[in-house]
Amino acid sequence: MLASGFVLEFLKGPTLALQEFYLLTGRAMRNVTRQPHYTDDIKLQMDSIGVGSIPIVLLTGFFSGAVMALQMGRALQQYGQTGRTGTVVSIILVRELGPVLTALMVAGRNASGIASELGSMKVTEQIDAMRALGTDPIQKLVTPRMIATGVMLPCLTVIDDFVGMVGGWIIGKLLYDLDALQYWSQTWHALVWSDVVQGLLKPFVYSFVISLIGCFYGLRASGGTQGVGRATTQAMVAASVTILILNLFMGLIFVKYSGN
Amino acid sequence: MAAAANLLEFDKVSVEFDAGVPVLDQISFSVPEGQTRIIMGAAGSGKTVLLKTAMGLNRACAGRISLLGEDITEKPENQLFDIRARVGMLFQDSALFDSMTVAQNVAYPLLNQKSIQIPRDKMEEKVRESLRFVELEQALTKYPSELSGGMRRRAAIARAVVTGPPLLLYDSPTAGLDPITAHTIMALIIKERDMDNTTALVVTHRYQDGNLVANFRYNPDSGTLDPAGERATNTVFMVLREGRLVFEGTQTELEACSDSYVGKFVKKPEYAA
Ligand SMILES: Nc1ncnc2c1ncn2[C@@H]1O[C@H](COP(=O)(O)OP(=O)(O)OP(=O)(O)O)[C@@H](O)[C@H]1O
Ligand SMILES: [Mg+2]
């Protein structure tokens, strides 16, 4: 009796938080079709989330592709198949590493950034001021961030994939003396439609995780600067973990239904 | 003469953030048109919560609230915007948008209140006029972080009055300011009252502020405050203690009140005319 009461009490917080999160998600989605649209805010966020993330995405893409070619090339060498490096690098990048690494990097940069920005606004009463002055904070703050991330993350993932292939090619060229034409035609032919769909659908889904979790923790912040710091960390951790978990499930679904 | 309409009415309003711990406890009062209501009370007594509840920013868990003649107790957020557009609020820490300039902050309600339609070319004039009112025209392009505390308070007042609302809620307009700046801010509040005949709720810790509002009038010719004399003001004092309303009445009644908590807020005015 006592134990079950304790467990219920323990679960109450997370359950309420989840409920609040669903509410926020629902409202943010509903606002996509509603007036007013804050196009300036969407553009601003696209710039800060999308363009601002390009350097980190270039670095992540290049080094992850390079290190993959390095290890794959060596493994394939044992079977005399170094020539297949391009195929392997391409498939892994487009299906898995590109989406997940880009999403994790952008989560580290923007889920926390969003949480700290909205959190500071919350604790300094700017969110209340917004409501008092005629704007719905979800419409003005959450929806633009959600749309901007939804558009930009798939684009960033494509960039990451491509730069990863370049990184893989440079390593392949230097260490395994791969032929450029062979490498690039392999990376292209290795991909089937389901890979491309998977490679774009995943970042689209993760974009909601990043923007909505960032906004959620930001809007919940309380207790001054310390509260903002806590919200920032929580947002980044929650977004990253959610992305990794979703990544496995989406991978499973694609393996089951696309047959490869 | 018919009794003036009530712009704000609280009827046994209670607010709780944690179940069983009322932050406001069965508060009832009404503010008729033209009245200025001074709200005093110790830190944490619920003054800010009271103002936010009046705007529908917090929800009451019991009782009814009517704002500008409309019952807002259970109105969904999206129906509140049009009513809030006719109420100006000065937040305790100014709550200026720190990513925007002073001018953008003041223009914000003009741009975002759906019920307020102002042609684009009139916008700048309106903003300037409002900043001139608080004597801050030179800070138009500055960011809030570049202003002093008193200037920030004034910019926030400009933002609150720019739409010409009939009801104003000022949360601790003088808190943390030196006596001279505090006096300037109070003078602005009195000027707003006397120039535009606004109704207001003023939260303050300082008895002088209330005394000033009750006994002085703005003189548009000299730009100073003059003793009200026979042009008596409609000022009511209200004292909160731990979420309960422990005093409501005129200045004379307040000074005569024997309650020791209430008495602590009454000091002899420090400055005369
Ligand atoms: N969002 C909130 N969540 C939980 N408790 C709150 C919240 N806002 C206010 N409170 C509590 O309500 C009580 C009254 O707070 P309020 O801010 O109204 O005080 P106040 O009278 O304005 O004080 P001060 O003079 O310091 O500004 C405090 O005990 C505070 O802890
Ligand atoms: Mg307060």
Side-chain angles (χ1 to χ4, degrees):
Chain A
M1 247 343 259
L2 202 69
S4 72
F6 181 76
V7 170
L8 279 183
E9 195 56 35
F10 185 75
L11 286 176
K12 208 166 99 187
T15 314
L16 283 178
L18 203 62
Q19 192 184 354
E20 259 179 66
F21 182 72
Y22 286 139
L23 271 175
L24 176 76
T25 307
R27 287 202 200 139
M29 302 258 176
R30 203 178 53 188
N31 284 345
V32 173
T33 58
R34 280 197 184 178
Q35 292 288 337
H37 293 296
Y38 296 103
T39 32
D40 288 350
D41 292 271
I42 299 179
K43 281 186 214 145
L44 199 75
Q45 291 307 321
M46 281 188 171
D47 187 49
S48 108
I49 296 170
V51 181
S53 297
I54 287 178
I56 195 170
V57 165
L58 289 179
L59 287 170
T60 328
F62 183 85
F63 286 101
S64 61
V67 82
M68 202 158 42
L70 177 71
Q71 297 298 345
M72 284 302 160
R74 205 172 72 155
L76 288 169
Q77 214 167 25
Q78 296 174 353
Y79 309 101
Q81 294 280 1
T82 336
R84 312 285 297 172
T85 311
T87 310
V88 179
V89 166
S90 163
I91 288 180
I92 298 187
L93 267 180
V94 172
R95 283 189 199 161
E96 289 294 342
L97 275 192
V100 85
L101 282 182
T102 311
L104 287 179
M105 284 300 157
V106 175
R109 204 178 155 267
N110 294 105
S112 53
I114 292 172
S116 70
E117 190 183 349
L118 267 56
S120 317
M121 293 183 77
K122 176 76 194 304
V123 301
T124 54
E125 293 183 312
Q126 290 179 56
I127 303 274
D128 276 339
M130 245 176 203
R131 292 169 64 205
L133 297 173
T135 29
D136 172 5
I138 297 182
Q139 180 82 286
K140 172 93 177 157
L141 300 171
V142 181
T143 306
R145 283 166 175 74
M146 188 180 81
I147 295 175
T149 323
V151 174
M152 294 321 265
L153 195 60
C155 299
L156 289 169
T157 306
V158 171
I159 295 175
D160 180 279
D161 291 347
F162 177 71
V163 176
M165 290 172 189
V166 173
W169 177 63
I170 290 174
I171 288 290
K173 178 86 191 137
L174 292 178
L175 292 187
Y176 308 114
D177 200 24
L178 294 185
D179 175 55
L181 189 67
Q182 192 196 11
Y183 179 89
W184 285 107
S185 85
Q186 272 180 11
T187 53
W188 179 249
H189 288 296
L191 300 176
V192 293
W193 269 113
S194 85
D195 295 330
V196 178
V197 171
Q198 172 166 200
L200 291 176
L201 189 66
K202 278 180 171 177
F204 186 64
V205 172
Y206 303 155
S207 74
F208 292 95
V209 173
I210 293 170
S211 55
L212 291 172
I213 289 188
C215 291
F216 174 70
Y217 279 105
L219 291 177
R220 255 164 68 100
S222 64
T225 40
Q226 214 178 8
V228 177
R230 205 163 34 219
T232 308
T233 326
Q234 281 174 332
M236 198 202 121
V237 171
S240 307
V241 172
T242 312
I243 286 167
L244 287 170
I245 294 173
L246 277 180
N247 194 49
L248 174 63
F249 282 104
M250 290 185 68
L252 284 174
I253 291 172
F254 271 95
V255 167
K256 194 156 170 9
Y257 290 102
S258 67
N260 52 32
Chain B
M1 206 179 90
N6 284 333
L7 293 195
L8 176 67
E9 255 178 61
F10 268 48
D11 182 19
K12 298 211 180 70
V13 173
S14 296
V15 174
E16 289 179 359
F17 290 103
D18 304 310
V21 192
V23 172
L24 289 186
D25 196 1
Q26 305 247 354
I27 302 266
S28 300
F29 65 91
S30 43
V31 187
E33 204 175 333
Q35 185 177 82
T36 304
R37 191 166 275 256
I38 309 292
I39 303 171
M40 297 195 288
S45 55
K47 305 180 296 293
T48 299
V49 172
L50 185 137
L51 292 195
K52 285 191 180 175
T53 310
M55 276 287 252
L57 298 171
N58 284 333
R59 292 289 173 176
C61 66
R64 308 214 68 81
I65 303 150
S66 122
L67 180 62
L68 303 177
E70 294 194 59
D71 188 329
I72 62 158
T73 322
E74 268 139 29
K75 264 208 194 331
E77 178 90 7
N78 56 8
Q79 290 176 27
L80 284 173
F81 288 126
D82 285 347
I83 308 171
R84 285 185 194 145
R86 286 176 285 142
V87 184
M89 179 150 182
L90 171 73
F91 285 85
Q92 186 157 5
D93 296 314
S94 301
L96 292 169
F97 303 120
D98 46 25
S99 59
M100 299 180 192
T101 62
V102 168
Q104 286 168 331
N105 264 287
V106 177
Y108 193 92
L110 298 174
L111 286 167
N112 288 287
Q113 306 278 27
K114 274 192 226 91
S115 54
I116 294 169
Q117 301 291 347
I118 288 186
R120 289 258 162 181
D121 48 323
K122 291 269 169 59
M123 192 82 73
E124 200 188 322
E125 181 47 38
K126 268 282 209 191
V127 170
R128 278 185 183 280
E129 193 184 304
S130 190
L131 281 168
R132 202 175 307 134
F133 177 81
V134 297
E135 291 156 31
L136 212 64
E137 224 184 335
Q138 74 285 3
L140 216 55
T141 55
K142 288 223 163 84
Y143 282 90
S145 56
E146 299 169 310
L147 303 181
S148 73
M151 288 163 96
R152 236 175 301 185
R153 210 60 69 76
R154 294 206 310 246
I157 292 182
R159 184 176 72 176
V161 302
V162 69
T163 56
L167 176 65
L168 279 155
L169 313 176
Y170 299 99
D171 196 350
S172 314
T174 58
L177 298 179
D178 61 275
I180 297 167
T181 315
H183 186 273
T184 318
I185 301 273
M186 286 319 292
L188 281 177
I189 291 174
I190 293 170
K191 178 173 162 192
E192 169 66 23
R193 177 194 69 190
D194 292 344
M195 305 277 280
D196 297 332
N197 292 315
T198 45
T199 310
L201 267 64
V202 184
V203 166
T204 180
H205 290 121
R206 306 181 342 139
Y207 181 65
Q208 313 91 289
D209 293 348
N211 180 54
L212 216 53
V213 170
N215 301 307
F216 288 79
R217 286 275 184 191
Y218 178 72
N219 181 341
D221 300 325
S222 62
T224 52
L225 297 182
D226 294 344
E230 72 276 15
R231 295 171 303 150
T233 62
N234 181 358
T235 309
V236 169
F237 290 75
M238 181 160 130
V239 181
L240 289 181
R241 178 181 194 172
E242 289 163 18
R244 270 169 297 113
L245 186 56
V246 291
F247 173 86
E248 184 181 8
T250 62
Q251 189 180 15
T252 331
E253 287 165 347
L254 179 69
E255 280 172 4
C257 185
S258 58
D259 186 285
S260 71
Y261 177 84
V262 174
K264 287 209 179 70
F265 290 94
V266 184
K267 272 182 279 167
K268 281 274 155 281
E270 276 168 22
Y271 38 72

